[in-house]
Amino acid sequence: MELAICSRHQFPQLLGDAIIAALQQEGSVCLASGDTPQLAYRYVAAQYQRRPFPLRATLVGLDEWVGFGPQDEGSCQYAMHHDLYQHLSLRPGQLRQFDARRAGDALEEECHRMNQLLAEQPLRLVLVGIGQNGHLGLNEPGVAFSSLAHVSNLSETTVRVAQKYFPQSTTLRQGITFGIANILASEKIIAVANGAHKRDIIQRLLMTPPCETLPATSLKQHHNTQLLLDDAVFHVENIL
């Protein structure tokens, strides 16, 4: 796992430029929602509006809260549409996402559909944030590294942190997400974290061997992963 550290001011542009490069290539690109990449998405959108670049990649959503969709403020898809997708000239079928508004067996069918999509259109790049409990997407602590797309039971930490995305207190119990095995099958992974509040979990990640109680450690098993941090998470002098 390659470690890259930059200033908080450089972070959005460095990440944004990597996303722009990936969007111009054939293949599937899976982008996580959340606060960490938000400014990078806005940078990509601004660059595209200023000087459109070719969009050859298929965009794939990483996860979603069960029961929510792109029209629901607080959903992963709502945020991605607001910050990025609506600013790009995407062709029909160029954006593929989970339909988390389904229920019961239909959610399992949705997992199968998305697994099949990746079998047919392998991932070139996954951009994933690292949660405060070490989750990747909505793969919570204890998930098998062999997992494919599945419905996950959300941890108390995830539910608590997620409230910031919603206009009012919201009940969340489950998510639908690509699994660890889907993520690790990508040609390249960029894992990101910024802000002092991520310092403890990143230190745990760096010190812990691959272990299913800390999903982010699965990234150590991948041959082409970059861990991009800002200097609020990790100071350069700390690793010298």
Side-chain angles (χ1 to χ4, degrees), residues 46-196:
Q47 293 297 107
Y48 185 80
Q49 292 293 310
R50 183 175 298 114
R51 180 175 294 180
F53 47 83
L55 297 170
R56 300 187 178 97
T58 297
L59 285 162
V60 181
L62 177 63
D63 53 21
E64 187 54 272
W65 315 114
V66 166
F68 293 82
Q71 305 305 317
D72 300 312
E73 185 174 355
S75 73
C76 305
Q77 294 168 10
Y78 180 95
M80 293 300 297
H81 279 272
H82 182 268
D83 292 325
L84 182 60
Y85 298 153
Q86 69 178 359
H87 305 290
L88 306 177
S89 298
L90 298 175
R91 302 182 303 275
Q94 198 173 5
L95 172 61
R96 310 294 292 273
Q97 303 178 108
F98 286 102
D99 183 355
R101 294 165 296 186
R102 306 178 77 182
D105 290 344
L107 280 175
E108 295 302 324
E109 294 172 3
E110 191 66 11
C111 292
H112 176 75
R113 180 181 72 85
M114 295 298 277
N115 283 328
Q116 187 62 35
L117 169 67
L118 296 193
E120 296 169 357
Q121 301 180 46
L123 289 166
R124 176 179 293 276
L125 173 69
V126 173
L127 168 61
V128 63
I130 297 173
Q132 291 187 34
N133 63 354
H135 72 200
L136 297 178
L138 293 176
N139 290 280
E140 299 285 29
V143 68
F145 287 175
S146 60
S147 64
L148 297 174
H150 63 281
V151 175
S152 64
N153 294 318
L154 302 176
S155 69
E156 292 182 6
T157 299
T158 297
V159 171
R160 173 176 52 79
V161 172
Q163 296 304 311
K164 64 184 176 182
Y165 301 120
F166 294 89
Q168 65 277 323
S169 179
T170 300
T171 299
L172 300 170
R173 294 188 175 88
Q174 293 183 310
I176 187 168
T177 185
F178 281 118
I180 298 295
N182 296 120
I183 294 169
L184 295 183
S186 179
E187 183 178 319
K188 180 177 177 63
I189 300 170
I190 300 177
V192 293
N194 62 1

Side-chain angles (χ1 to χ4, degrees), residues 191-240:
V192 293
N194 62 1
H197 64 293
K198 292 292 181 72
R199 191 175 297 157
D200 289 346
I201 191 60
I202 293 302
Q203 289 181 345
R204 282 185 60 201
L205 165 61
L206 295 175
M207 298 299 293
T208 305
C211 175
E212 291 180 349
T213 57
L214 192 62
T217 60
S218 65
L219 299 174
K220 296 183 176 183
Q221 299 179 339
H222 190 264
H223 67 284
N224 189 18
T225 291
Q226 180 186 69
L227 177 60
L228 177 62
L229 310 173
D230 77 358
D231 55 7
V233 178
F234 216 76
H235 293 285
V236 174
E237 55 266 27
N238 289 351
I239 60 171
L240 296 179

